[in-house]
Amino acid sequence: MMSGDLDRALAALTIANGAAAMGHRVTVFFTFWGLTVLRRPRRTAARRSLLQAAFCRLLPRGTRRLPLSRLNLAGLGPLLMRRVMRQRNIASVEELLAAAREQGVALVACTTSMEVLGLTREELVDGVELAGVASYLGEADGAAVNLFV
Amino acid sequence: MMSGDLDRALAALTIANGAAAMGHRVTVFFTFWGLTVLRRPRRTAARRSLLQAAFCRLLPRGTRRLPLSRLNLAGLGPLLMRRVMRQRNIASVEELLAAAREQGVALVACTTSMEVLGLTREELVDGVELAGVASYLGEADGAAVNLFV
Amino acid sequence: MMSGDLDRALAALTIANGAAAMGHRVTVFFTFWGLTVLRRPRRTAARRSLLQAAFCRLLPRGTRRLPLSRLNLAGLGPLLMRRVMRQRNIASVEELLAAAREQGVALVACTTSMEVLGLTREELVDGVELAGVASYLGEADGAAVNLFV
């Protein structure tokens, strides 16, 4: 999960939950903008270099602020989509994330990306593991399904 | 196929046709913006909530209106690319879609995404199956190649 | 590797290098905008139709000019990210590309995309193989991990 878009997060987490419901062991590895999905909504004090702070300030804090990859319309698109989904009883990204945790889907944050974007452990939601590319490759190697979202 | 970009549709359908030509069984599962690839060019009367109608109006109708993910240049990019491809005898997205059907590539539309975007069965081209994430995962599980485009 | 974004190139090449370091045979197949990663920084004389020339002029020449898929900020984003990465001793895209070559990762350019974008062999860096979709599918078929970036 490299993308930090609401629509792509919905797709990834729907697939993750579907696979978990079918009895598969599932890991979602969050890297780059995907880390914003795991970010706490509240501001957290973090020691950052000036350059890192510049990036961090521009990155959304958590699922409520994710943009759409298309038709974002300055934030109107996500609002519209969320409202349609609520009317139709389709699980929101927050519900999908909660369901993933309940089903034991492993949520892993890429440590190198965290450094690049200046994100600290404390800024991410609870229950997230930290790991690097070797860990990802270890999981991916034997996986039946493996997607780059 | 989550993306609704001309270039990504070309990539996905080229791979799908190539695999079919090599004797593989191929399924393309269209979700979110990818559904616009399967949309009929003509306006179709559809019962939609007001919110759904807002989205639908902004989504392209069919392959002729797909934008480029890059260098779209307000629609000039796709025109340029199509012209170069015609000069060079490279199959257009419409030809690739027709070839995919002829080769028996299954075209599947994601029912949940259709609800989210307010798209109805009647708006999609003929010969498209409807299915959900469980169906996708069933196909993906044993697949030799499985891509998220 | 379809994308021509700095962040996505970093992700793809980090995974490629990681897999090679673990003893796997790795191929990166560059198509569409991904070809800009392999482009030489210097202008090269090339015979192009007028339409192809229009595209080529707008495409970045090599890794130094790659934009970010997000927070590009008219070129400021990549500069910021590169500086943070240097401070933190994280390998740049140029270093990753060099490491990939050293580790024997095969770099393959898609011939059809080269035609569409009007890119010639001479414009690409040394050591790149040329191939089509059938070659990609042959490699992908038996692969343990296969991603569309």
Side-chain angles (χ1 to χ4, degrees):
Chain A
M1 178 82 195
M2 157 127 190
S3 157
D5 298 317
L6 177 63
D7 42 344
R8 293 191 162 241
L10 285 168
L13 292 170
T14 301
I15 294 169
N17 277 306
M22 287 160 84
H24 293 287
R25 197 164 65 80
V26 183
T27 299
V28 187
F29 192 86
F30 295 83
T31 181
F32 272 101
W33 325 107
L35 291 168
T36 61
V37 177
L38 300 178
R39 218 175 166 196
R40 283 184 203 280
R42 291 267 183 93
R43 204 168 207 150
T44 326
R47 299 187 64 179
R48 280 192 261 265
S49 74
L50 250 161
L51 286 168
Q52 286 177 324
F55 254 123
C56 272
R57 201 165 269 231
L58 295 163
L59 289 175
R61 293 181 197 281
T63 51
R64 291 269 161 214
R65 305 284 181 87
L66 300 177
L68 284 179
S69 70
R70 209 154 156 181
L71 297 188
N72 189 53
L73 311 169
L76 190 66
L79 282 181
L80 262 169
M81 188 172 279
R82 281 177 183 274
R83 191 164 287 199
V84 173
M85 287 171 71
R86 206 158 46 223
Q87 281 178 354
R88 294 292 178 134
N89 277 319
I90 298 166
S92 69
V93 72
E94 290 78 21
E95 287 162 342
L96 288 169
L97 205 55
R101 287 161 179 288
E102 271 164 44
Q103 291 197 91
V105 171
L107 307 176
V108 184
C110 169
T111 45
T112 310
S113 301
M114 286 172 67
E115 265 196 86
V116 173
L117 300 180
L119 293 170
T120 61
R121 178 73 199 81
E122 291 71 37
E123 280 175 285
L124 303 182
V125 293
D126 290 328
V128 171
E129 299 162 45
L130 305 192
V133 69
S135 155
Y136 159 70
L137 280 164
E139 295 284 329
D141 201 348
V145 175
N146 177 26
L147 303 167
F148 187 97
V149 179
Chain B
M1 178 80 196
M2 158 128 189
S3 158
D5 298 317
L6 177 62
D7 42 343
R8 294 192 161 242
L10 285 168
L13 292 170
T14 301
I15 294 169
N17 276 308
M22 287 160 84
H24 292 288
R25 197 165 65 80
V26 183
T27 300
V28 186
F29 192 86
F30 294 83
T31 180
F32 271 101
W33 323 107
L35 291 167
T36 61
V37 177
L38 300 178
R39 217 173 167 198
R40 283 183 202 282
R42 293 267 184 91
R43 205 169 206 148
T44 326
R47 299 187 63 178
R48 280 193 261 264
S49 75
L50 251 160
L51 286 169
Q52 287 177 324
F55 254 123
C56 272
R57 201 166 269 230
L58 295 164
L59 289 174
R61 292 179 197 283
T63 51
R64 290 268 161 216
R65 305 284 181 88
L66 300 178
L68 283 179
S69 71
R70 210 153 155 183
L71 298 187
N72 190 52
L73 310 170
L76 190 66
L79 283 180
L80 262 169
M81 187 172 279
R82 281 176 183 276
R83 192 164 287 200
V84 173
M85 289 171 70
R86 206 158 47 221
Q87 282 178 353
R88 296 291 179 137
N89 277 320
I90 298 167
S92 68
V93 71
E94 290 78 22
E95 287 162 342
L96 288 169
L97 204 56
R101 287 161 179 288
E102 269 164 45
Q103 291 198 93
V105 171
L107 306 176
V108 184
C110 168
T111 45
T112 311
S113 300
M114 287 173 65
E115 265 196 85
V116 172
L117 300 179
L119 293 171
T120 61
R121 178 73 200 81
E122 290 72 36
E123 280 174 285
L124 303 182
V125 293
D126 291 328
V128 171
E129 299 163 45
L130 305 192
V133 69
S135 155
Y136 159 70
L137 280 164
E139 294 285 329
D141 201 349
V145 175
N146 177 29
L147 303 168
F148 187 97
V149 179
Chain C
M1 178 81 196
M2 158 128 190
S3 158
D5 299 316
L6 176 63
D7 43 340
R8 294 192 162 242
L10 285 169
L13 292 170
T14 300
I15 294 169
N17 276 308
M22 288 160 83
H24 293 286
R25 197 164 64 80
V26 183
T27 300
V28 187
F29 192 86
F30 294 83
T31 180
F32 272 101
W33 324 107
L35 291 167
T36 61
V37 177
L38 300 178
R39 218 174 167 198
R40 281 184 204 281
R42 292 266 184 93
R43 206 169 206 147
T44 326
R47 299 188 62 179
R48 281 193 261 265
S49 74
L50 251 160
L51 286 169
Q52 287 178 323
F55 255 122
C56 272
R57 202 166 268 233
L58 294 164
L59 288 175
R61 292 181 197 279
T63 50
R64 291 269 160 213
R65 306 283 181 87
L66 301 178
L68 284 179
S69 70
R70 209 155 156 180
L71 298 187
N72 190 52
L73 310 170
L76 190 66
L79 282 181
L80 263 169
M81 188 172 281
R82 281 176 183 275
R83 191 163 288 202
V84 173
M85 288 171 71
R86 207 158 46 222
Q87 282 178 352
R88 296 290 178 138
N89 277 319
I90 299 165
S92 68
V93 72
E94 291 77 21
E95 288 163 341
L96 288 169
L97 206 55
R101 286 160 179 289
E102 271 166 43
Q103 292 198 90
V105 171
L107 305 175
V108 184
C110 169
T111 45
T112 310
S113 301
M114 286 172 68
E115 265 196 84
V116 172
L117 300 180
L119 294 171
T120 62
R121 178 73 198 82
E122 291 72 36
E123 280 174 286
L124 303 183
V125 293
D126 290 328
V128 171
E129 300 163 44
L130 305 190
V133 69
S135 156
Y136 159 70
L137 281 164
E139 294 285 328
D141 201 348
V145 174
N146 177 26
L147 303 168
F148 187 97
V149 179

